[in-house]
Amino acid sequence: MEKPNKPGRGRWKLLGVLAVCAAPLIASYFTYYVIKPKGGQTNYGALIDPRAYPIPAMASTTLDGKPARLEDYKGKWIMLKVGPSDCGADCQDQLFAMRQLRTMQGKEADRIERVWMITDDQPLETMLLRVNDGTRMLRAPAATLEKWLPLEQGAGDRAADHVYLIDPLGNLMMRFPKGAVSSDVEKVKRVHKDIAKLLKASAIG
């Protein structure tokens, strides 16, 4: 006669499996943020505690109105920008720099998705769509994004001023400084270095 399973045994097994799956990412964070790089260098982007900023439920859609979520891109690193469809010079610089940052990762580029969450329902210019082919474009409520995404301290700071990084497990984990993802080549190089280190340290995504 088989002995009944002890209460909680299945739960502990499940937690063990989850811990094993998360271990590579935890190790990469430990390597990147605890074991500091040689020469006293530190990360350029600001580390975010993902427990404080889980991806919220939101009625996001593709440009043609089909339901779509950020969670659909789990398994890859996500460079995330937000902002209105009226994409001025700064916005276009961000989108261009995101394309360049992905390309700069070389053979690791396929591990990265670029996502632009558009905060209104206005149509996009045809040329903007063509130039940014490959960027995932979703429409999402501006109020939800504003409540979710952490900002730098200081008057006038907006989520649209930043590019954020989401890890392959769906954790919001980094915010790059205002103007970092832009036409400023030196700043973009520093962002590239952050992303390259994370990709190298991470065994997943």
Side-chain angles (χ1 to χ4, degrees), residues 49 109 122 200:
D49 182 352
Q122 298 302 306
K200 184 177 180 179

Side-chain angles (χ1 to χ4, degrees), residues 28-55:
S28 72
Y29 287 177
F30 181 82
T31 300
Y32 189 70
Y33 293 109
V34 180
I35 305 174
K36 295 297 183 182
K38 294 180 181 179
Q41 295 179 347
T42 57
N43 50 289
Y44 184 41
L47 181 63
I48 296 169
D49 182 352
R51 296 169 299 178
Y53 300 96
I55 297 176

Side-chain angles (χ1 to χ4, degrees), residues 76-108:
K76 291 195 175 185
W77 294 87
I78 299 173
M79 280 191 290
L80 174 69
K81 80 165 256 77
V82 303
S85 56
D86 183 13
C87 190
D90 289 344
C91 168
Q92 292 182 41
D93 285 346
Q94 278 184 330
L95 291 169
F96 175 76
M98 287 168 67
R99 298 199 305 273
Q100 294 300 104
L101 283 163
R102 184 177 182 275
T103 301
M104 290 165 70
Q105 302 304 328
K107 64 181 181 179
E108 305 293 339

Side-chain angles (χ1 to χ4, degrees), residues 125-143:
E125 294 182 3
T126 302
M127 184 57 67
L128 190 65
L129 291 171
R130 289 178 179 174
V131 170
N132 293 287
D133 184 39
T135 297
R136 309 288 186 173
M137 299 182 185
L138 305 179
R139 296 192 188 275

Side-chain angles (χ1 to χ4, degrees), residues 96-173:
F96 175 76
M98 287 168 67
R99 298 199 305 273
Q100 294 300 104
L101 283 163
R102 184 177 182 275
T103 301
M104 290 165 70
Q105 302 304 328
K107 64 181 181 179
E108 305 293 339
D110 288 342
R111 299 171 65 186
I112 300 171
E113 288 283 4
R114 295 163 291 139
V115 178
W116 177 17
M117 301 203 84
I118 302 163
T119 54
D120 58 44
D121 58 1
Q122 298 302 306
L124 296 175
E125 294 182 3
T126 302
M127 184 57 67
L128 190 65
L129 291 171
R130 289 178 179 174
V131 170
N132 293 287
D133 184 39
T135 297
R136 309 288 186 173
M137 299 182 185
L138 305 179
R139 296 192 188 275
T144 302
L145 293 173
E146 288 171 3
K147 289 180 181 178
W148 171 42
L149 296 170
L151 304 176
E152 292 178 350
Q153 292 186 354
D157 193 37
R158 306 170 303 152
D161 295 327
H162 302 278
V163 168
Y164 297 81
L165 194 64
I166 299 173
D167 72 25
L169 297 181
N171 299 309
L172 180 68
M173 52 80 62

